[in-house]
Amino acid sequence: MRWRVGLLVLAAALLAGCVANDVEPINTHVTQVGPGSPDYIPDAPADGSTVVALSFSGGGTRATAFSYGVLQALDAVEVGSGGRAHTLIDEVRVVGGVSGGAVTAAYLGYKGRGYRELRERFLLRDAESSLHTAKLAPANLARLWKGGVNDRSTFAAWLDRNLFDGATYSAFRRPGAPLVWIHASDIYNGTAFGFTYDRFAAICSDLDKLRIADAVAASAAFPAVFAPVVVSTTTPTTRCNYKQPDWIERGLNDPEAPERVKAAARAMESYQNNDRVNYIKLLDGGLTDNIAVVGFAESLDIAVSPHSPLSPQAAVRMRTLIMIVADAGRRKEPDWVKVKQGPGLVDMIDATAGTSIASSVRDEFDSLKLEFRLWREKLVKYRCSLPAAAVARYRGGLSGWKCRDVQMVVELVSFADLPPEEAAALNVIPTRLRLTPEQVERTIQAGRDAVRLNPRLQQAFRRAQGRSGFVAAGSP
């Protein structure tokens, strides 16, 4: 056996000069950059009394299926608003995703109510068929030696061909679409890399021309399994009339700025310094934020007004904000806790990674809840300071106006919300890009059940229905 492994390593070394990963940048440069990131998330298409925000974790197809189940749960909640009955899916104004969760987030932004197609187009298909096999073949070892077994010619190409139909970020500009936040990890700066207009303007690139599939694949680029996805920065000859947003100056110069803002600002500055960074190398977004809340946190950190990231009108019209963080993270019950020895090397690596992710998820979610609590205080103060004429203009009248009537419900849903025996069965489903139909359906049902069994979410749903004057059939 050892001599076989030795031959494979020797063959891989010899092939390394012949096998090359596709490291072509996923972006192109422009001579006239467009506007930066919007100051506000899109206003609700109806009366605006309810705003829904979603965040979907990583975890392969399992995460995609779980978040798909969450969408189905929202789609089952009928509300009446703006003179017509619809569901909470219509109230989703912003959705973030990383890795497997990025697939769902991007597809919701791309298709809206057509998100239901995701089941047939992705969940029940074999996305792993696009990948180089995991066997210890010399060519694969050579690719691994070069930085990763797969590159943008595999998974990204499969997504582009089978799911996103060649669509670019411009497809997210459809009427009524939510703002989509997808992020990967910048492994040079050690920061989250959000696919935002601000970041692409900084490197004289047009985000609207970027393929959605490339952003999703970068967010899912697990180290070694995938080679880093490459983004080209500006060259010394590129000029695009870029204007640096105020939040970068604050991050670079204000000692009181949040550390997250400082790190993001330093990364943005490095992209414009060709003596330091010519190419940004991106890997799995879960390395920096496995529950995809960094976009929400950044938007609150860099807010220029007490109502941001809501527009002034949306801030006055809103009564209920529902933020759901769907975490498909896995927790297996290991055998080594029952014996004196262990864990062994493989189990130790798995346990170390799992411990790090679980700890960061808890810290990130607690931090997010605190930020929303502080934001609510600022938002109430802003609403109560408005003159009656401004309130009437934003709302269309003063009837029922209560400036403090704002509720923010921020909830994490996961396998842990389900009965222990069901959670145990779900936790053994692997985090890969191919699942059996039975595993897919079980995980979708888990997403639906996790929302249905959360009492605070159900209370918020009833509030949304009552505020809009709609009572679902069978409701008390």
Side-chain angles (χ1 to χ4, degrees), residues 158-171:
W158 189 95
L159 287 172
D160 191 57
R161 183 173 61 252
N162 294 286
L163 189 61
F164 294 112
D165 312 309
T168 67
Y169 256 70
S170 61

Side-chain angles (χ1 to χ4, degrees), residues 249-259 262:
E249 182 178 355
R250 179 190 173 208
L252 293 174
N253 301 313
D254 182 0
E256 299 301 319
E259 288 300 317
K262 291 179 182 178

Side-chain angles (χ1 to χ4, degrees), residues 102-372:
V103 176
T104 314
Y107 204 67
L108 179 66
Y110 173 44
K111 286 287 190 176
R113 285 196 156 276
Y115 80 89
R116 299 177 184 91
E117 301 169 358
L118 184 65
R119 181 178 177 277
E120 300 296 330
R121 298 190 68 181
F122 181 81
L123 291 173
L124 296 179
R125 299 191 66 181
D126 180 10
E128 287 188 12
S129 65
S130 67
L131 305 182
H132 298 302
T133 63
K135 296 178 181 178
L136 289 177
N140 286 342
L141 289 174
R143 293 186 183 98
L144 180 61
W145 187 266
K146 288 283 189 177
V149 177
N150 296 278
D151 56 26
R152 66 186 299 239
S153 68
T154 56
F155 186 45
W158 189 95
L159 287 172
D160 191 57
R161 183 173 61 252
N162 294 286
L163 189 61
F164 294 112
D165 312 309
T168 67
Y169 256 70
S170 61
F172 290 151
R173 291 185 179 272
R174 62 177 179 80
L179 181 63
V180 178
W181 280 326
I182 295 171
H183 81 266
S185 297
D186 172 352
I187 57 174
Y188 169 72
N189 285 293
T191 58
F193 181 93
F195 286 85
T196 65
Y197 287 92
D198 274 355
R199 282 181 174 82
F200 277 73
I203 57 176
C204 290
S205 282
D206 184 356
L207 182 60
D208 278 340
K209 295 180 180 178
L210 185 82
R211 296 191 314 179
I212 296 173
D214 283 324
V216 172
S219 182
F222 192 79
V225 177
F226 294 94
V229 174
V230 178
V231 173
S232 172
T233 65
T234 57
T235 65
T237 58
T238 304
R239 299 290 182 269
C240 61
N241 298 318
Y242 168 68
K243 183 180 182 301
Q244 192 177 76
D246 293 339
W247 71 264
I248 295 181
E249 182 178 355
R250 179 190 173 208
L252 293 174
N253 301 313
D254 182 0
E256 299 301 319
E259 288 300 317
R260 181 167 40 229
V261 174
K262 291 179 182 178
R266 288 192 294 266
M268 292 280 280
E269 186 184 40
S270 76
Y271 302 156
Q272 299 163 56
N273 185 343
N274 294 125
D275 291 334
R276 292 175 59 194
V277 178
N278 295 111
Y279 298 99
I280 305 165
K281 306 297 177 71
L282 302 178
L283 284 175
D284 195 316
L287 298 175
T288 47
D289 173 20
N290 200 52
I291 54 174
V293 298
V294 67
F296 302 92
E298 280 187 357
S299 70
L300 294 173
D301 287 338
I302 66 176
V304 296
S305 61
H307 54 74
S308 296
L310 295 175
S311 70
Q313 175 173 298
V316 171
R317 296 166 67 195
M318 186 187 75
R319 288 170 169 170
T320 306
L321 185 147
I322 302 169
M323 170 84 192
I324 301 177
V325 179
D327 178 21
R330 178 175 60 172
R331 177 170 176 80
K332 294 172 60 178
E333 289 296 328
D335 293 333
W336 46 262
V337 295
K338 301 175 183 178
V339 297
K340 291 181 180 180
Q341 291 188 341
L345 178 60
V346 175
D347 288 336
M348 180 70 77
I349 293 173
D350 186 57
T352 300
T355 299
S356 177
I357 292 173
S359 176
S360 67
V361 164
R362 291 191 296 268
D363 291 344
E364 286 178 284
F365 184 70
D366 285 345
S367 175
L368 184 73
K369 290 191 72 170
L370 175 60
E371 291 203 60
F372 268 84

Side-chain angles (χ1 to χ4, degrees), residues 15-82:
L15 279 170
C18 303
V19 176
N21 285 323
D22 181 351
V23 293
E24 287 302 308
I26 60 175
N27 65 313
T28 57
H29 297 299
V30 294
T31 56
Q32 183 63 46
V33 74
S37 299
D39 291 330
Y40 313 123
I41 64 176
D43 285 358
D47 73 354
S49 61
T50 302
V51 173
V52 178
L54 303 173
S55 180
F56 299 145
S57 80
T61 297
R62 189 181 67 180
T64 311
F66 186 69
S67 52
Y68 180 84
V70 170
L71 294 185
Q72 286 190 327
L74 291 173
D75 214 0
V77 181
E78 293 185 54
V79 293
S81 185

Side-chain angles (χ1 to χ4, degrees), residues 119 123-124 434-444:
R119 181 178 177 277
L123 291 173
L124 296 179
R434 178 184 62 193
L435 299 179
T436 67
E438 293 75 20
Q439 290 172 328
V440 167
E441 296 304 332
R442 188 166 202 163
T443 311
I444 291 174

